[in-house]
């Protein structure tokens, strides 16, 4: 397996407070890796360590097959990033900020600045001072800077902050294109699980500074728990019909009025018809498929119970 980024039992403590502990992350080459966790879970800490902004207390970081050291400049040259709140020279135009970044990076590919400005829909604002940009425009400029030098690996901390729904879709499509057409590997943190669900190949869930789960979206889909959710007036009577009349056994009474049926291959029409025949009143019946949000909440809830 070819990994762009691995962390080996990574921990970070500041002023006696442990921010992350024993974190193992595996980002495969050529994928979009969604890094998920509640606020304060440790996502940004891991990203700061992976970009050499912070140094680990214990453990190590392996980038492109090499252990990251304080002087690993050649590895960092192969990366782009947004960490927390991006800053710019506000008196300089958006275009000049990007050109200056090319100078820093020693990247002199003619036309790359204009191409990247166009990708991020910033061409019309390219000559305006970055200080006059809205939050959404600054975020676009930050993404432009992160991908400008065609890095092999891009780390993006909440990259869609400040963008409207149309802008989010545009950026989502851009990330997919960077992965498929340019061969970039992306590690993206976000609190918008629906955004990650639509683009990620693999997700990692971190909670209370500890890595809880790494799993591919394909695996989640294959193990997805689909069920019929039924709201009835009388759960005892409904349960009797399901068990005795329909011979179903894989269902659960969730509360005083809700039943979830996990039986494979059963259709909502068949359930509703049987309930009506047996005069069981119900107010709603619907097919439910577990989303990434459902999966995330289940994993973090399990952690909470075990703590």
């Amino acid at each position: 397996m070819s990994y762009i980024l691995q962390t080996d039992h990574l921990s970070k403590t500041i002023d006696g407070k442990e921010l992350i502990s024993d974190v193992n992350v595996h980002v495969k080459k050529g994928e979009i890796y969604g890094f998920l966790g509640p606020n304060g879970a440790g996502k940004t800490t891991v990203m700061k360590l992976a970009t050499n902004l912070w140094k680990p207390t214990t453990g190590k970081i392996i980038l492109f097959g090499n252990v990251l050291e304080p002087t690993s400049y050649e590895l960092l040259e192969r990366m782009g990033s947004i960490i927390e709140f991006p800053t710019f020279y506000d008196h300089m135009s958006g275009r000049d900020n990007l050109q200056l970044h090319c100078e820093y990076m020693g990247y002199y590919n003619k036309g790359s600045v204009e191409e990247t400005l166009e990708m991020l829909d910033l061409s019309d604002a390219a000559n305006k001072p970055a200080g006059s940009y809205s939050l959404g425009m600054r975020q676009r400029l930050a993404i432009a800077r992160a991908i400008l030098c065609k890095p092999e690996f891009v780390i993006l901390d909440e990259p869609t902050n400040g963008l409207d729904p149309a802008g989010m879709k545009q950026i989502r499509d851009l990330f997919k294109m960077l992965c498929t057409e340019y061969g970039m590997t992306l590690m993206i943190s976000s609190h918008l699980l629906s955004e990650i669900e639509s683009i990620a190949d693999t997700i990692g869930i971190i909670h209370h500074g500890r890595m809880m789960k790494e799993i591919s979206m394909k695996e989640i889909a294959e193990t997805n728990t689909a069920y019929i959710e039924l709201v009835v007036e009388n759960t005892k009577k409904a349960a009797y019909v399901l068990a005795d009349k329909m011979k179903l056994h894989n269902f659960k009474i969730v509360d005083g009025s809700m039943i979830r049926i996990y039986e494979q291959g059963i259709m909502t029409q068949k359930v509703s018809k049987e309930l009506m025949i047996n005069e069981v009143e119900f107010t709603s019946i619907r097919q439910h498929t577990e989303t990434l949000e459902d999966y995330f909440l289940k994993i973090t809830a399990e952690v909470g119970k075990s703590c």
Side-chain angles (χ1 to χ4, degrees):
M1 185 66 68
S2 180
Y3 293 114
I4 288 284
L5 168 68
Q6 298 178 72
T7 68
D8 184 16
H9 301 287
L10 196 63
S11 298
K12 180 65 178 177
T13 300
I14 295 180
D15 296 331
K17 182 180 179 182
E18 192 175 56
L19 302 182
I20 61 169
S21 176
D22 200 35
V23 169
N24 295 300
V25 170
H26 305 83
V27 180
K28 287 181 280 190
K29 183 178 180 180
E31 75 170 0
I32 297 178
Y33 184 99
F35 199 31
L36 306 177
N39 290 335
K43 301 186 300 296
T44 300
T45 297
V46 172
M47 289 179 156
K48 284 183 175 180
L49 292 167
T51 51
N52 236 3
L53 294 174
W54 285 357
K55 306 299 182 275
T57 302
T58 59
K60 62 184 177 181
I61 299 155
I62 303 167
L63 275 171
F64 308 105
N66 299 280
V67 176
L68 183 65
E69 304 287 353
T71 55
S72 296
Y73 308 121
E74 73 286 353
L75 300 181
L76 299 176
E77 287 174 357
R78 299 163 68 181
M79 298 170 59
S81 66
I82 299 174
I83 306 294
E84 292 190 314
F85 305 103
T87 58
F88 302 97
Y89 292 100
D90 285 346
H91 66 285
M92 294 172 58
S93 69
R95 176 182 284 108
D96 287 344
N97 268 280
L98 295 185
Q99 288 174 339
L100 183 61
H101 181 70
C102 287
E103 293 287 337
Y104 286 151
M105 298 296 291
Y107 185 80
Y108 302 104
N109 190 334
K110 187 176 180 181
S112 60
V113 169
E114 298 308 318
E115 177 190 9
T116 307
L117 285 166
E118 188 173 345
M119 277 185 183
L120 274 301
D121 201 21
L122 286 172
S123 297
D124 290 344
N127 293 320
K128 296 179 180 178
S132 69
Y133 282 18
S134 66
L135 175 60
M137 290 172 66
R138 289 180 74 86
Q139 201 67 16
R140 287 174 180 273
L141 187 61
I143 295 170
R145 185 171 62 187
I147 68 171
L148 174 60
C149 300
K150 303 296 187 294
E152 296 169 57
F153 183 35
V154 186
I155 293 179
L156 302 168
D157 189 14
E158 299 281 357
T160 56
N161 273 351
L163 299 180
D164 58 24
M168 288 182 193
K169 183 184 183 308
Q170 181 190 18
I171 297 304
R172 186 170 68 236
D173 292 342
L174 173 64
F175 291 159
K176 290 179 182 177
M177 183 271 288
L178 292 174
C179 186
T180 57
E181 296 186 22
Y182 287 84
M184 293 186 192
T185 303
L186 283 73
M187 182 182 190
I188 304 171
S189 77
S190 179
H191 65 281
L192 299 173
L193 300 186
S194 59
E195 288 296 302
I196 293 296
E197 184 173 29
S198 64
I199 61 173
D201 300 295
T202 300
I203 62 161
I205 298 176
I206 188 170
H207 194 46
H208 295 312
R210 295 180 179 272
M211 203 68 182
M212 297 293 100
K213 191 78 173 179
E214 279 188 315
I215 186 170
S216 71
M217 290 302 297
K218 182 180 178 182
E219 287 179 86
I220 292 177
E222 288 173 351
T223 59
N224 202 347
T225 304
Y227 58 86
I228 294 172
E229 191 171 84
L230 180 65
V231 179
V232 297
E233 296 294 327
N234 188 326
T235 52
K236 288 185 178 179
K237 187 176 180 181
Y240 170 77
V241 171
L242 295 176
D244 190 72
K245 302 294 185 181
M246 299 188 69
K247 307 302 180 185
L248 303 181
H249 304 289
N250 194 8
F251 65 87
K252 178 182 179 182
I253 298 174
V254 179
D255 57 27
S257 62
M258 185 183 293
I259 297 176
R260 286 181 180 169
I261 305 169
Y262 297 97
E263 204 85 20
Q264 292 296 312
I266 190 73
M267 303 296 291
T268 56
Q269 295 92 332
K270 185 175 180 180
V271 175
S272 60
K273 180 180 179 180
E274 198 66 38
L275 292 174
M276 287 187 288
I277 289 172
N278 289 275
E279 298 181 345
V280 177
E281 295 183 21
F282 60 94
T283 55
S284 70
I285 181 170
R286 67 187 183 98
Q287 189 82 28
H288 184 94
T289 302
E290 189 176 66
T291 63
L292 178 57
E293 182 176 14
D294 296 324
Y295 184 82
F296 173 81
L297 293 173
K298 180 171 67 177
I299 294 294
T300 53
E302 288 172 358
V303 174
K305 289 176 183 177
S306 65
C307 288

